[in-house]
Amino acid sequence: MRNNHAHVSKYMHRLLAALTLCLLSASPVIAQSQTSGSLPHVTVLATGGTIAGTAGSETQTTGYKPGVLTADALLKSVPSLGKIAQVSGEQISNVGSENITNDVLLKLAKRVNQLLAQPDIAGVVVTHGTDTLEETAYFLNLVVKSDKPVVVTGSMRPSTAISADGPSNLLQAMTVAASPEARGRGVMIVLNDRIGSARYTTKTNGTTLDTFKGNDAGYLGTLVDEVPHFETSTLKLHTTSTPFDVSRLDSLPEVDIVYGYQNDGGFMYDAAVAHGAKGIVVAGVGAGSESLLTLPSIKKAIAQGVIVARSSRTGGGFVPEDPAYVGLLGDDLNPQKARILLMLALTVTKDPSRIQEIFHQF
Ligand code: GLU
């Protein structure tokens, strides 16, 4: 009997301990939802893409319609967002990101700057199609005038897919945007547990979840259980340290990209100039090499005042000085990011040597 009593009291003791542990571990969530008024305010600016896309079946992950769900529907699909921040949403556009134009970029950037100038806004999340996400993120990295976090996210699987990655990516982006630790790091790209710098992060695969990579620069950090762990920061200047001011811009100068390949010709350069290009980015072979077939047209473009910058079609590496080729050096920017920078550079100067400095600074 005594033994029995001891056994029961030991059991009760364990039960009480387990209950206490349970209550303690649940309390942060209860506290968060009860004190949502004191949580940071983060605005989601939705632009479309797969994250807002729907397909005909849960197994369909290509060939679906991007940009269907509204900002409101996106936010409602992830109730946990309310535990991290006071969340509001706005629709900037609702398109696949192949249809993001310079006009959308300017509209988005101006709205981000307006929001971040408000003392009650802690950060901004932008939802975006993944195909050109890195271009928008890098554009914002160059024109946002605030240290507050701006995080761009998207998804590789539509909202209707089994294991859709949109909800988790949105929650992680919100976590980073609401985090004081994320301030001053430039615009970030958050998908698939990774926090990347907009300067370096690029889409490396057309269909897989782990497509966004930082190549030589790696990642800024990782998310584990909705906690951001920052490990590095970029040395390139961004946001408040750039000379670019979108508030006085209604359009951006035309900059086109011409891809290098065997047996290519100068006609693509001629066409870009005839179309009104103020800048041309060469997506050159190797470390930005230009063929003998294209050089006469590239030289003609430069003689007419068009700024030409060399980049590499390989997806990585710096472009070195080489007397065999002409044009500015695009640092280690991929062609699509070099185009974004050249458009902005042309809004502040036409001087090739100043633009060359800009390529190395940002
Ligand atoms: N092409 C679409 C877009 O970029 C879908 C790709 C995606 O979002 O993953 O919006």
Side-chain angles (χ1 to χ4, degrees), residues 47-53 61 64-67 95-100 128-133 154-158 165 191 203 206 211-212:
T47 69
T50 298
I51 193 166
T61 57
Y64 48 84
K65 201 167 160 20
V95 296
S97 68
E98 63 276 18
N99 295 316
I100 295 282
H128 201 286
T130 56
D131 291 350
T132 69
L133 186 151
S155 75
M156 290 301 289
R157 293 177 182 157
D165 51 331
L191 286 99
K203 186 175 185 180
T211 174
F212 282 93

Side-chain angles (χ1 to χ4, degrees), residues 6 29 39 66 94 134 144 216 259 285 337:
V29 175
L39 292 174
N94 209 357
E134 64 188 89
V144 164
D216 292 342
Y259 206 84
V285 297
K337 288 189 203 254

Side-chain angles (χ1 to χ4, degrees), residues 121-163:
I121 299 286
V124 165
V125 169
V126 176
T127 58
H128 201 286
T130 56
D131 291 350
T132 69
L133 186 151
E134 64 188 89
E135 286 155 77
T136 296
Y138 185 46
F139 185 78
L140 294 176
N141 192 54
L142 296 166
V143 302
V144 164
K145 294 297 161 208
S146 172
D147 280 343
K148 294 178 184 175
V150 175
V151 183
V152 189
T153 193
S155 75
M156 290 301 289
R157 293 177 182 157
S159 62
T160 42
I162 192 162
S163 288

Side-chain angles (χ1 to χ4, degrees), residues 184-340:
R185 295 180 186 273
V187 172
M188 289 157 284
I189 292 176
V190 170
L191 286 99
N192 204 39
D193 304 333
R194 305 289 200 175
I195 308 167
S197 157
R199 168 63 173 73
Y200 292 100
T201 308
T202 185
K203 186 175 185 180
T204 64
N205 185 297
T207 52
T208 60
L209 289 189
D210 62 344
T211 174
F212 282 93
K213 303 223 158 88
N215 288 334
D216 292 342
Y219 297 102
L220 295 176
T222 308
L223 282 131
V224 183
D225 289 341
E226 306 316 327
V227 177
H229 298 271
F230 284 98
E231 281 152 296
T232 61
S233 49
T234 165
L235 298 176
K236 295 287 186 186
L237 301 176
H238 53 74
T239 55
T240 52
S241 303
T242 76
F244 312 121
D245 176 9
V246 280
S247 69
R248 54 183 190 82
L249 296 177
D250 294 320
S251 63
L252 292 164
E254 177 179 333
V255 174
D256 298 310
I257 302 173
V258 180
Y259 206 84
Y261 49 94
Q262 292 180 345
N263 201 54
D264 55 359
F267 58 94
M268 297 294 270
Y269 293 91
D270 300 339
V273 175
H275 191 259
K278 302 289 179 280
I280 299 176
V281 171
V282 183
V285 297
S289 303
E290 297 156 337
S291 72
L292 293 173
L293 291 171
T294 59
L295 272 167
S297 290
I298 301 176
K299 286 179 181 165
K300 197 161 84 188
I302 294 172
Q304 289 174 28
V306 175
I307 300 290
V308 172
R310 292 163 51 215
S311 66
S312 170
R313 71 171 194 177
T314 64
F318 285 85
V319 172
E321 291 268 14
D322 191 324
Y325 309 125
V326 293
L328 306 180
L329 314 177
D331 203 83
D332 67 342
L333 287 167
N334 66 25
Q336 58 271 33
K337 288 189 203 254
R339 172 182 167 270
I340 294 288

